Amino acid sequence: MKENVLVILGNGFDIDLGWKTSFVDICRSKVFIDGMRHYQYDYLSELQDKEYWCDLELYLRDMIINQHNNPNQEPLKFWLTSFWKTYEYLYPSKADLNTYVTNKKSCAFRFLNHISKARIISFNYTNPFSFLGLKEHEILHIHGDLENANTITLGVDKTIEDYVQNIEDYSRLLKTYNNDNVERFISAVKESATIIIYGHSLGITDSDYFKPMFELLNTGNSPKKLFLITKNGVGWQQMKKNMLSYGIDFSKIICTNNSIEIIYTKDDASDSKFNELLKLI
């Protein structure tokens, strides 16, 4: 009997599969550039050297918070353009043929093929099981999925409520607005003995989910096995920096009774820690 395992997927998982779904891929694509130029944003010069999806969402977040200082900014219009151009880029039937080329030697592909009973929560819009013709697994898509455009969320955390007069105007931008996904997420965390976070940068725009999760782990009342999978040490340092931005000091979590492992996919699928992890899912 496999222990109760929760798998949490972020964009880094799809990138490890070989898919060109990173923030860099999308923001440098023709469809996205043309969309942003249409509204004459300074987006390209400010963001094209960034790496993570949260960079786009942070840019949107800053626009909302600081719009009283710059009335020419239009966060709602910027969001709408970002939303539809992202969808247009990612939707499989419209995407470039090179977007979804899969590296079958990757850690992510091996990971997919080993999952049998693990519970899966994804912050991605993609369903890799369906796309690759693998055995289907139920996935809770926190931000919606490509097959249902009306479910897709591209936005920010609830702290923007302190900066806007009418939150209803920004409801589509608020990731946790009028849904029970935070409760479902935390419930899954509480029910799981092992938590595997694969390819998520843990940025502040998803802090409505991860802050209560890490606060729960920090109590040490219900110790978990926690595996954090990222590309390399640079990615790991960025994750810790992102956590600090919403008040989570990882060094304190290390001192609790939780068992914590950091795994780098740069060490490829032959890494012994990664192979041991596959036995759990």
Side-chain angles (χ1 to χ4, degrees):
M1 175 71 70
K2 296 194 176 186
E3 57 184 303
N4 194 3
V5 178
L6 173 64
V7 171
I8 300 171
L9 302 179
N11 184 233
F13 180 82
D14 283 3
I15 294 172
D16 193 35
L17 278 175
W19 294 356
K20 296 184 182 302
T21 60
S22 71
F23 172 73
V24 171
D25 292 319
I26 293 178
C27 81
R28 294 181 180 177
S29 69
K30 185 178 186 302
V31 64
F32 211 85
I33 290 172
D34 288 349
M36 290 301 153
R37 281 178 177 163
H38 178 71
Y39 291 110
Q40 298 181 335
Y41 292 118
D42 55 2
Y43 162 83
L44 296 176
S45 61
E46 291 193 29
L47 289 182
Q48 278 204 319
D49 291 331
K50 301 295 184 180
E51 184 175 357
Y52 303 102
W53 267 109
C54 63
D55 290 316
L56 172 60
E57 294 173 331
L58 282 170
Y59 185 80
L60 176 59
R61 188 175 188 269
D62 288 342
M63 287 179 73
I64 296 170
I65 292 173
N66 298 312
Q67 61 182 312
H68 61 282
N69 294 323
N70 189 350
N72 293 324
Q73 289 191 328
E74 301 175 282
L76 292 175
K77 188 179 289 187
F78 176 84
W79 167 82
L80 189 62
T81 306
S82 302
F83 176 90
W84 284 113
K85 294 306 176 182
T86 296
Y87 180 77
E88 186 177 342
Y89 176 92
L90 289 174
Y91 195 73
S93 65
K94 298 180 180 180
D96 185 279
L97 292 176
N98 294 320
T99 301
Y100 290 106
V101 175
T102 303
N103 177 9
K104 295 187 177 181
K105 295 182 179 180
S106 65
C107 290
F109 189 76
R110 287 194 64 201
F111 191 87
L112 279 180
N113 280 276
H114 275 79
I115 291 178
S116 60
K117 295 184 179 180
R119 188 173 184 175
I120 305 171
I121 293 178
S122 179
F123 284 78
N124 302 328
Y125 307 130
T126 53
N127 183 335
F129 297 102
S130 176
F131 190 89
L132 295 171
L134 302 176
K135 180 182 177 182
E136 288 285 354
H137 290 267
E138 182 178 349
I139 301 176
L140 170 59
H141 285 277
I142 289 290
H143 295 329
D145 66 271
L146 289 173
E147 294 303 317
N148 300 280
N150 63 326
T151 68
I152 291 179
T153 301
L154 176 67
V156 297
D157 56 293
K158 64 184 179 182
T159 57
I160 67 160
E161 293 177 340
D162 297 332
Y163 300 92
V164 298
Q165 292 183 342
N166 186 1
I167 192 61
E168 294 289 337
D169 294 340
Y170 294 84
S171 60
R172 283 299 305 275
L173 284 73
L174 190 59
K175 289 183 174 183
T176 57
Y177 185 81
N178 199 28
N179 68 49
D180 61 355
N181 280 344
V182 172
E183 289 76 13
R184 296 170 72 184
F185 181 87
I186 296 302
S187 177
V189 167
K190 289 179 178 179
E191 294 168 0
S192 302
T194 298
I195 301 169
I196 302 168
I197 301 177
Y198 198 141
H200 200 297
S201 64
L202 307 177
I204 193 171
T205 55
D206 282 322
S207 61
D208 292 344
Y209 299 93
F210 289 107
K211 183 175 182 179
M213 185 194 85
F214 285 116
E215 287 175 342
L216 180 67
L217 293 177
N218 212 14
T219 66
N221 294 334
S222 179
K224 313 284 186 184
K225 292 181 180 178
L226 176 63
F227 294 87
L228 297 166
I229 307 177
T230 187
K231 181 179 179 180
N232 51 32
V234 174
W236 171 227
Q237 293 304 316
Q238 184 64 49
M239 290 167 71
K240 290 192 290 184
K241 181 180 178 181
N242 289 344
M243 291 166 64
L244 278 174
S245 70
Y246 48 92
I248 301 297
D249 184 348
F250 194 79
S251 64
K252 294 182 179 179
I253 298 176
I254 292 176
C255 297
T256 63
N257 294 326
N258 299 288
S259 171
I260 300 171
E261 290 279 1
I262 313 299
I263 297 177
Y264 298 141
T265 57
K266 73 171 182 62
D267 295 328
D268 72 44
S270 65
D271 179 71
S272 58
K273 289 196 294 185
F274 181 76
N275 286 320
E276 286 299 313
L277 175 65
L278 295 180
K279 299 175 183 178
L280 299 177
I281 58 176

